[in-house]
Amino acid sequence: QVQVVESGGGLVQAGGSLTLSCIVSGRTFSTYAMGWFRQAPGKEREFVAAISRSGGTVYADSVKGRFTISRDNAKNTVYLQMNNLKPEDTAVYYCAARLSGGLATSPEIYDYWGQGTQVTVST
């Protein structure tokens, strides 16, 4: 069983930065693709960013140029560096693992999910 645990959420002012971390159990983390998604109140879960097992990345247009996804296979961890945060970035952020290592933006394709971490951006 793969466990996914996010951390790093919090309250930040608009224009500020936060870094989310996601640690994944298992000995084959380096073969997983990883993704970040978010869900705001009353809205559906939406794709934010993903990184393949080879390090390729893809971003939602709404965060491109502001967010950076990266991974450290030695630590079984994926990160989401978020800069220039906006109030519309407020949401619960979820980390997800896809056992097949290719990039994917659809949440249905991911196999394991964390419980989420709240990010709140104030004006």
Side-chain angles (χ1 to χ4, degrees):
Q1 184 75 4
V2 174
Q3 292 186 321
V4 179
V5 180
E6 307 96 335
S7 63
L11 174 64
V12 63
Q13 287 188 329
S17 298
L18 275 177
T19 299
L20 305 183
S21 299
C22 171
I23 189 164
V24 181
S25 67
R27 293 175 291 178
T28 55
F29 171 78
S30 62
T31 68
Y32 304 160
M34 299 298 300
W36 285 98
F37 294 79
R38 66 187 181 186
Q39 188 166 17
K43 295 187 176 181
E44 293 190 353
R45 191 169 298 190
E46 66 173 0
F47 170 76
V48 175
I51 186 166
S52 71
R53 62 183 177 184
S54 61
T57 58
V58 61
Y59 297 91
D61 287 343
S62 59
V63 306
K64 203 172 293 183
R66 299 188 298 123
F67 291 11
T68 302
I69 188 171
S70 61
R71 66 190 300 158
D72 184 339
N73 290 336
K75 296 181 178 179
N76 279 26
T77 301
V78 63
Y79 303 96
L80 185 68
Q81 172 68 44
M82 305 185 293
N83 297 326
N84 190 21
L85 282 160
K86 304 175 180 180
E88 52 263 42
D89 295 318
T90 295
V92 177
Y93 282 70
Y94 297 90
C95 178
R98 182 182 185 216
L99 301 188
S100 169
L103 285 172
T105 62
S106 174
E108 291 80 12
I109 296 176
Y110 285 79
D111 301 296
Y112 296 95
W113 290 81
Q115 293 300 307
T117 185
Q118 176 71 47
V119 172
T120 303
V121 184
S122 64
T123 55

